[in-house]
Amino acid sequence: MTRLLTALILGCLAWTAATAPARAATAKNTIGLKATVVTACTVDVTDLGVALDVVGGETKRQVGSVVENCNDAKGYTITVNSANNGKLQSGKNTVTFTTLYDGTTGNGSGSVSVTRSKATFAKTAAVAVTIAGNAKTIAGNYTDTLTITIKAK
């Protein structure tokens, strides 16, 4: 009987081993994540619609505002350029002005450039002009256009 019992136990153990699920070795793998952010620089310009006093003159008169946004880690440059090289024109008559951007005075030709050293978001800057008054200014409608450009470094 002992032999029979031993044979039965051994048979059960063999059957259990054959039907038990095999244990797998641990396996792992990876998923690489990637992302690209393109350089994006924008300016939102507001023209204040100011009528300048060329006879009495203007000192740092704000004519507009700019909201700067640029995600370049190296920074960017803002440039303001006058279409008439720093002159309001009425026909052949002109009145010279100086452009200021965020407190920086231009070069006398109506242009000014400001460099930022890092990425900046929602930076508001003022655009202003200075005009030396001249009581002998010829009558007319004097105009010019300022163009604001942003460029990543």
Side-chain angles (χ1 to χ4, degrees):
M1 179 98 162
T2 316
R3 284 187 180 178
L4 182 60
L5 189 56
T6 303
L8 255 162
I9 291 173
L10 288 174
C12 284
L13 288 173
W15 179 79
T16 303
T19 60
R23 295 185 185 217
T26 301
K28 70 177 180 178
N29 215 327
T30 60
I31 296 173
L33 303 177
K34 298 177 186 176
T36 301
V37 177
V38 297
T39 301
C41 298
T42 62
V43 288
D44 183 21
V45 179
T46 301
D47 181 343
L48 298 178
V50 174
L52 299 166
D53 181 358
V54 296
V55 174
E58 300 280 3
T59 303
K60 297 181 181 179
R61 177 74 184 271
Q62 186 173 351
V63 295
S65 66
V66 177
V67 178
E68 308 168 9
N69 290 288
C70 188
N71 68 352
D72 191 318
K74 296 175 195 168
Y76 57 97
T77 302
I78 295 281
T79 306
V80 180
N81 287 309
S82 160
N84 298 329
N85 295 315
K87 293 177 177 51
L88 292 164
Q89 290 185 318
S90 177
K92 294 182 181 181
N93 301 309
T94 62
V95 173
T96 302
F97 66 91
T98 303
T99 306
L100 294 92
Y101 184 84
D102 200 29
T104 300
T105 303
N107 61 12
S109 68
S111 297
V112 62
S113 185
V114 174
T115 300
R116 308 287 188 214
S117 61
K118 62 182 180 179
T120 305
F121 302 93
K123 161 83 172 125
T124 300
V127 180
V129 297
T130 296
I131 301 170
N134 182 354
K136 297 180 182 178
T137 301
I138 304 298
N141 294 316
Y142 290 80
T143 62
D144 191 14
T145 301
L146 298 177
T147 301
I148 293 89
T149 307
I150 188 169
K151 182 179 179 188
K153 286 186 179 177

